[in-house]
Amino acid sequence: ALWLLVIIYLLILFQYLVIDRLTYGHYSTRIYNLKPFDSIQSYLYHKDSYNFRTWFLNLYGNIIMLVPLGILLPLLLPSFRKT
């Protein structure tokens, strides 16, 4: 049952992060940042350059989006549990 939950969660993430952007025409203007913490660093150091909604949604949205993965992986895979 937990594996099914993980698969559903990953499909929802894929839908939100990839498919929605392709469907609604944002693909041509969307830039994916693959350098870890690069945009987060920019938002923190230059937060006066961004409106509140932009940096708040980016910083806390990423955290909230990944919390279920942090809960489900240790339940499913013993190697992700702390010893």
Side-chain angles (χ1 to χ4, degrees), residues 30-79:
R30 180 70 182 151
I31 298 171
Y32 289 97
N33 177 11
L34 300 177
K35 290 171 45 179
F37 305 110
D38 190 51
S39 62
I40 293 173
Q41 181 180 2
S42 175
Y43 286 132
L44 290 175
Y45 289 136
H46 307 289
K47 66 180 177 182
D48 295 334
S49 301
Y50 300 99
N51 64 33
F52 176 79
R53 184 177 188 270
T54 299
W55 70 262
F56 183 85
L57 287 177
N58 190 288
L59 292 176
Y60 295 104
N62 284 327
I63 293 169
I64 292 168
M65 182 174 56
L66 294 173
V67 164
L69 199 59
I71 293 170
L72 292 171
L73 281 179
L75 293 174
L76 291 170
L77 303 170
S79 61

Side-chain angles (χ1 to χ4, degrees), residues 3-52:
W3 280 107
L4 181 62
L5 193 59
V6 169
I7 290 170
I8 291 171
Y9 166 73
L10 292 175
L11 287 173
I12 291 170
L13 276 182
F14 186 76
Q15 169 73 29
Y16 176 73
L17 295 174
V18 179
I19 302 298
D20 282 351
R21 300 197 192 294
L22 293 173
T23 306
Y24 298 112
H26 297 271
Y27 181 72
S28 61
T29 60
R30 180 70 182 151
I31 298 171
Y32 289 97
N33 177 11
L34 300 177
K35 290 171 45 179
F37 305 110
D38 190 51
S39 62
I40 293 173
Q41 181 180 2
S42 175
Y43 286 132
L44 290 175
Y45 289 136
H46 307 289
K47 66 180 177 182
D48 295 334
S49 301
Y50 300 99
N51 64 33
F52 176 79

